[in-house]
Amino acid sequence: MAPTAEIRQQTVESTLHHVRDIIERQGVNRDALAEVLKALEGLAAQRELWNEAEFPPPGADERQARYLIDQTPEQTFALYLNVMRPGKRIPPHDHTTWACIAGVEGEELNTLYRRLDDGSVEGRAEIEVDREVRIGAGSGVALMPNDIHSVLIEGEQPIRHLHLYGRALETLTERTTFDVEAGTRRLMDIGVQTRSTGAR
């Protein structure tokens, strides 16, 4: 039987080929992303591919480890595995590209927001909560480029979730983070450094 890494590479390549076909045929819209998410959930369901031995959790003094699994040479269709400890919070932010998140194990609370202002005032933004989505094994969420969400890891155990983006996080220099109370927005940095374990 092939090693886990070989099986993972073959499975990831097959999934991403299917995803590229969906986007090329349908473009980026919510119906297309619903199909992309279904494919990503199928990949996440193969939990043995995302094991702790190959993708260890962050150290005790850290909250997040992000692993690059695969991406095209153009840094598009970038797949990551996020391993996050309880207490990790990611404030409201957009991505400026489409994104899908699918749970492998553990649960994260995603809060989705709607923007109320028209964006005409630089550095200002008014957003309000739209709904909450709990992402665990077998579930996920699909986000359009301008969708806004925040993340909170609760519970007692680290979570493992797959994140698939239309462009690699390392290229997203225009994505922004929002301060709900202050009514402001600013450029968002990438956060933790991406680890290359598992990447081709």
Side-chain angles (χ1 to χ4, degrees), residues 4-5 8 46-56 81 83 104-105 160:
T4 302
R8 180 172 53 248
Q46 301 181 61
R47 294 176 59 183
E48 69 279 2
L49 301 181
W50 317 110
N51 61 80
E52 182 174 343
E54 293 181 89
F55 303 101
L81 174 68
V83 186
V104 176
E105 63 183 22
R160 296 172 179 274

Side-chain angles (χ1 to χ4, degrees), residues 104-154:
V104 176
E105 63 183 22
E107 185 177 87
E108 71 175 49
L109 174 64
N110 274 243
T111 302
L112 306 183
Y113 298 83
R114 65 173 69 90
R115 188 162 180 181
L116 304 178
D117 67 300
D118 62 6
S120 60
V121 180
E122 183 68 26
R124 304 292 300 178
E126 185 179 357
I127 63 174
E128 68 178 11
V129 173
D130 181 20
R131 59 192 173 97
E132 293 183 342
V133 178
R134 290 190 177 274
I135 301 174
S139 63
V141 68
L143 303 166
M144 291 287 284
N146 292 327
D147 285 349
I148 302 166
H149 78 138
S150 64
V151 176
L152 172 63
I153 310 304
E154 302 173 311

Side-chain angles (χ1 to χ4, degrees), residues 16-105:
L16 294 187
H17 178 79
H18 178 49
V19 167
R20 287 193 293 271
D21 182 61
I22 293 169
I23 297 299
E24 287 172 1
R25 283 189 293 105
Q26 300 186 41
V28 177
N29 55 64
R30 295 203 185 275
D31 288 341
L33 292 187
E35 291 190 36
V36 170
L37 179 58
K38 184 176 180 180
L40 188 64
E41 289 171 345
L43 186 61
Q46 301 181 61
R47 294 176 59 183
E48 69 279 2
L49 301 181
W50 317 110
N51 61 80
E52 182 174 343
E54 293 181 89
F55 303 101
D61 59 340
E62 302 173 295
R63 295 290 183 200
Q64 179 182 8
R66 180 175 56 236
Y67 296 92
L68 175 62
I69 304 302
D70 201 354
Q71 65 180 353
T72 65
E74 300 79 22
Q75 291 186 288
T76 56
F77 298 96
L79 176 67
Y80 302 84
L81 174 68
N82 261 319
V83 186
M84 296 189 283
R85 291 188 179 278
K88 174 66 178 179
R89 294 175 179 268
I90 303 176
H93 62 280
D94 58 22
H95 294 109
T96 67
T97 187
W98 61 264
C100 288
I101 305 168
V104 176
E105 63 183 22

